Structure formats: structure tokens, C-alpha cells
Amino acid sequence: MIIIITIYGAMLIISFFQIRKIYQLDQIEPYQEFLQSNFTKPISILVPAYNESIGICASVRSLLSIEYPEFEVIVINDGSTDDTLQKLDEVFKLKKTNMVVRRQLETKEIKAMYTSTIYPNLIIADKDNGGKADALNAGINLSKYPYFCSLDGDSIIERNAFLKVLKPIIESDDEVIASGGTVRIANGCVIQNGDLTEIGLSKNPLVTMQIIEYLRAFLTGRVGLSKNNLLLIVSGAFGVFSKKWVIDAGGYAHTVGEDMELVVRLHRLIKEKKANKKIVYVPDPVCWTEAPESMKYLRRQRKRWHKGLFDSLWRHRKLMFNPKYGTIGMVSMPYFFFIEFLGPVIEMFGYLFFIFSLFTGSIYFEYAILFFLVSMVYGSFYSMAAVLLEEWSMERYTKVSHFVTLFLVSLTETFWYRPLTVFWRIEGIVEMIFRKKGGWGEMVRKGVSNE
């Protein structure tokens, strides 16, 4: 607990100063200047879709309305069994077309290609089902620009998000090869025709708890890691990559956590080539996505995430404590293994030991209660620090009622949400040991757009 408090506390302090620095710079250098800049890099936006009928059209509309000089949107329909393709046809008036595809990465067969008669920069690929990684690799093959963004099919992007997430790439003269943005939860927000019009909170405490969890993970964890080029995760929901480096690395792998695995592989390639390249996280650009509203689908998601974490660490175990890979091998890999992966195992043993001690009478109750209160207070403090950091810098949740709700719900985390996520992650480890495989990890969606 002392180790975790020290590490998380250090990351919180780093995040505090880093976010404030970014916030102050943003006031001096408006992002709109990049709209007229000759150095702005064109980008291909890849949207892998599998049974995304409910939200896909709103997401594509959101992408087509972004503020960015030159871009293309490529939707890869990965063998959907619902009416995803038909919905896209109805809304965007598709016509079949022939395209020459440079097959740089191996993928399942593309059955047909379509372009929109309304938006010439919208391309739809209909392919055999091969999984999310296969769909993204197909999108990379189809893309014509040097940088691409991977975006989930149920996501809504803020209009100026791409100007912000590409800023470090533009200013670094290609030193930055990947840049990730913040993902927020759209449940409870008002979205009209692919545009976020009002930010709100869901009345479901399970969703509210996820909002707090996301704020904590993105605004404190990833900012702290990114500051020292230790970031091993660029969210699959919103990340920009150099196409050349991704192709050199072999594209996305067919694994549970393809987004993290790719980032680890890129770090490995950077070190092996002895290149001066960075992978960064930018806190302000925001992508809004739908979160699970039931225990069933949240449990499935967290199990999949934990299996993906271990799979990435195991595939690249050569990096662990290997000085050849610098701080990635000596700091980042051990952190993700001992703190993020093994943390739930240690915590579960703590719960079991406490229950066992109750029956054997070998527990010092005064100390146990004190320890529990310290744990609860620290956890709540860390969560609320993330909420305050968000309010102080980006001000997405502006209503006092939002702040009060987030604060009150965060106080309950220790009693119900934390033990649940620990148990689900342990389940993921057990399934991984018995090699139980997962696919896309589909979730029943209600749709985040109020069209």
C-alpha cells in the first residue's frame, strides 16, 4: 500500500504541473492557427465496426464535421451480422467503387469498397470477419495519408480534438510517432447529429463510477507516464500513429489488447533502432464513448482488458528489467506487471485473509479499521483529485451538481466498486490460464446519439 501510494502520489504531482503547463500554453497558442498551417499533416481516420448499427452513423457524422484541413474517414465493416452497412448506405448514399489497395499488412479479404456520393472523403470497406486488429490492418492498407487515427465505431469526437492530438506530432518534426487523447463517457450527455451539445451525468451509479475511474486513469496515470516517455497504452478508442512506424512494427497483432500490444512493440522497435522517438498522451483532446450500463457487460470488458494487459506483457517479457530498453524495460514494464497486473491478486489475498481472520479471531480490529479508513480516504482523495484536476484545467463538467455527485459516488468506491473490479480482473487471469479466448468483446449498445 505504501508503494502504491508513493507511485500514484508522484504521478498525481507530475500530472498537476504538466496539465497546468499545457493549459497555460493553450491560452497563448490557439489551436485554430493550425487550420491555416502548412505543416499540418493530413490524416486517415480508421473506424473498425462490428455490429455497430445503433451508433455508427452518429460517429461518422461527428468525424466528418471535425475542424481539420485534410483528412479521410475509412469505415471498415468487419463482417457485421446486423444492418451496419445498410445504415451507412441509407445515410451517406454509398456507391460501389474499385480501389487499388497496396497490401502492406496481411488481412482477411475485402469483399467490396464504397464511397459516399455526399462526402467524397468517406470510404467504406466491407470485409470478411477477422477481428478488430484485422480490420485496423485493412484500414491501414487502404489509407493514403502518413498518419492514421484508430477510433471506435461508437465514439463521438470533439470538433477540434484532432488539432490538439496532432499538435505534438506537428511541433516535434516527426519525433513523436504516436499520440493518444482522452476518452470520456458519453452516457448521460446530449448528442445531436454526431455533435455533443450538452455534457451530463448518467443516473446509473455504475456509469458514474466509470467516469471517475476514467478521469483518474487518464488525467493522473497517463499524464505522469507520458511525461517521461513511459506510456505503454494509447487507447484504442482514440489514438494517432505514424503509418510508417506501425507498418515497420508489423501492424496490429491478433490479440485481446491489440492497442497496448502495438504501443509496447513500437517502444521496443524504437529502442532496437536506437531512434529518438516518443509516444505521448495529450490530456485535452476528448473522444466520447458509450460505457457499459450493466454488470454483465462491464465485467466482460474488465476481464478482457486484464487479459490484454498480461498478453502484452508476456509477449514482450524480454523487455522486463532489461537495461537495453532503458526506462521502458527498467521502470514501465515492471510498473505495469507488479502494480497494474498483480495488484488485484494481492488485493484479493487481502480480502480473503481478512475474512479468514474474522473466523480465527487473529485480527487486530483497531488496526484493521484504521488501515481500512486510510485506504478509503486515500482512494477517495485520489479520485477527487482527478475530478478537481479536470475542473481546474478542462472544465468539461461545469455544474455544481456534477461535482457533488462525482464526489459522493467516489466515497462509496471502496465498499462495492473496487472489490467488484478486483474480482473481475482475477476472473480474467483465471480465464487466461485456461486459455479461454474472446473476440471483439461486443457490448449491447443503447446508442449515445439523440437523433
Side-chain angles (χ1 to χ4, degrees):
M1 183 175 177
I2 291 171
I3 293 170
I4 288 175
I5 286 176
T6 303
I7 292 173
Y8 285 170
M11 289 198 294
L12 179 60
I13 293 169
I14 292 170
S15 300
F16 178 87
F17 288 105
Q18 185 68 6
I19 288 177
R20 191 59 184 172
K21 177 183 175 183
I22 294 169
Y23 176 78
Q24 290 171 337
L25 285 173
D26 289 347
Q27 307 309 306
I28 300 169
E29 303 175 11
Y31 287 105
Q32 277 65 26
E33 291 182 5
F34 285 103
L35 284 170
Q36 287 78 39
S37 173
N38 293 327
F39 299 102
T40 304
K41 301 178 185 297
I43 186 170
S44 300
I45 304 171
L46 312 183
V47 186
Y50 178 74
N51 292 349
E52 299 284 358
S53 172
I54 292 176
I56 189 66
C57 292
S59 296
V60 172
R61 276 203 195 96
S62 169
L63 292 171
L64 292 169
S65 63
I66 63 170
E67 295 177 357
Y68 202 77
E70 189 176 359
F71 66 94
E72 63 178 355
V73 178
I74 304 173
V75 180
I76 307 98
N77 181 43
D78 190 52
S80 295
T81 56
D82 66 358
D83 60 343
T84 296
L85 188 60
Q86 288 84 348
K87 284 281 182 68
L88 289 167
D89 187 22
E90 289 170 13
V91 175
F92 300 106
K93 311 302 178 190
L94 305 182
K95 68 173 181 179
K96 203 165 187 177
T97 185
N98 293 319
M99 291 184 66
V100 177
V101 180
R102 187 180 176 190
R103 201 180 179 95
Q104 300 180 84
L105 300 169
E106 287 299 317
T107 68
K108 294 282 187 177
E109 183 184 352
I110 295 177
K111 298 184 290 185
M113 294 292 303
Y114 303 88
T115 55
S116 170
T117 56
I118 307 171
Y119 302 97
N121 60 335
L122 174 60
I123 300 164
I124 312 294
D126 185 29
K127 63 180 287 293
D128 291 332
N129 181 264
K132 187 175 181 180
D134 194 79
L136 286 167
N137 287 338
I140 293 170
N141 286 340
L142 291 166
S143 64
K144 64 180 180 181
Y145 293 135
Y147 283 85
F148 72 88
C149 170
S150 59
L151 202 69
D152 284 350
D154 62 333
S155 301
I156 300 295
I157 201 85
E158 292 189 358
R159 291 185 184 276
N160 61 357
F162 279 99
L163 291 172
K164 294 178 179 181
V165 79
L166 275 150
K167 184 181 179 183
I169 292 174
I170 296 167
E171 293 182 335
S172 71
D173 193 25
D174 296 331
E175 181 182 333
V176 174
I177 62 168
S179 176
T182 296
V183 178
R184 297 285 176 85
I185 292 175
N187 308 51
C189 298
V190 178
I191 297 170
Q192 298 289 346
N193 298 320
D195 190 25
L196 184 75
T197 58
E198 183 182 338
I199 294 173
L201 291 180
S202 170
K203 294 180 180 179
N204 185 337
L206 195 65
V207 175
T208 306
M209 201 71 249
Q210 290 176 75
I211 292 173
I212 295 167
E213 193 179 26
Y214 273 50
L215 289 174
R216 189 171 58 215
F218 282 94
L219 291 185
T220 57
R222 297 195 187 183
V223 171
L225 293 169
S226 173
K227 170 68 175 172
N228 299 291
N229 199 25
L230 296 172
L231 192 66
L232 293 189
I233 300 176
V234 171
S235 176
F238 186 30
V240 174
F241 297 87
S242 163
K243 186 166 75 170
K244 175 187 177 300
W245 276 87
V246 170
I247 290 173
D248 287 348
Y252 285 90
H254 297 270
T255 178
V256 184
E258 69 286 325
D259 45 2
M260 179 180 180
E261 196 281 330
L262 175 62
V263 175
V264 179
R265 193 150 25 95
L266 286 172
H267 273 298
R268 184 172 181 169
L269 188 63
I270 289 168
K271 295 297 182 183
E272 289 172 352
K273 285 190 171 185
K274 297 181 179 176
N276 184 27
K277 302 295 181 180
K278 293 180 180 179
I279 296 172
V280 303
Y281 164 71
V282 186
D284 197 8
V286 173
C287 167
W288 298 82
T289 190
E290 184 179 358
E293 293 193 348
S294 71
M295 293 280 189
K296 175 183 176 181
Y297 292 106
L298 181 60
R299 173 183 171 225
R300 183 181 296 177
Q301 181 192 68
R302 295 314 159 91
K303 288 194 297 181
R304 187 177 75 252
W305 284 1
H306 212 63
K307 285 190 281 187
L309 170 63
F310 180 76
D311 186 74
S312 298
L313 295 172
W314 180 254
R315 282 171 179 252
H316 301 283
R317 58 192 181 277
K318 177 184 175 183
L319 279 65
M320 188 79 72
F321 294 118
N322 190 336
K324 174 184 175 182
Y325 296 96
T327 52
I328 293 297
M330 301 302 292
V331 178
S332 198
M333 289 288 286
Y335 163 78
F336 276 93
F337 180 72
F338 290 106
I339 303 297
E340 297 295 338
F341 178 73
L342 285 185
V345 178
I346 296 169
E347 195 165 336
M348 178 61 77
F349 273 113
Y351 293 141
L352 294 175
F353 180 76
F354 179 77
I355 294 169
F356 176 77
S357 298
L358 286 175
F359 287 101
T360 59
S362 58
I363 188 168
Y364 182 13
F365 276 100
E366 290 83 355
Y367 182 80
I369 292 169
L370 179 63
F371 193 83
F372 175 76
L373 289 174
V374 170
S375 174
M376 185 181 73
V377 169
Y378 173 74
S380 299
F381 170 79
Y382 193 65
S383 296
M384 284 315 303
V387 175
L388 286 169
L389 200 56
E390 196 281 336
E391 173 61 23
W392 178 52
S393 55
M394 282 159 272
E395 301 178 345
R396 291 303 195 283
Y397 298 100
T398 55
K399 293 182 180 179
V400 175
S401 60
H402 292 165
F403 180 83
V404 172
T405 300
L406 290 170
F407 175 76
L408 293 176
V409 173
S410 72
L411 292 176
T412 70
E413 179 179 13
T414 306
F415 298 100
W416 66 284
Y417 188 75
R418 178 95 185 163
L420 277 176
T421 55
V422 166
F423 181 74
W424 292 335
R425 290 156 79 184
I426 295 292
E427 274 193 298
I429 295 174
V430 173
E431 289 186 3
M432 180 189 60
I433 291 171
F434 290 100
R435 301 186 181 278
K436 183 177 178 181
K437 296 184 178 181
W440 265 74
E442 55 268 19
M443 177 180 76
V444 175
R445 306 191 188 280
K446 296 170 64 178
V448 296
S449 182
N450 310 103
E451 296 183 278

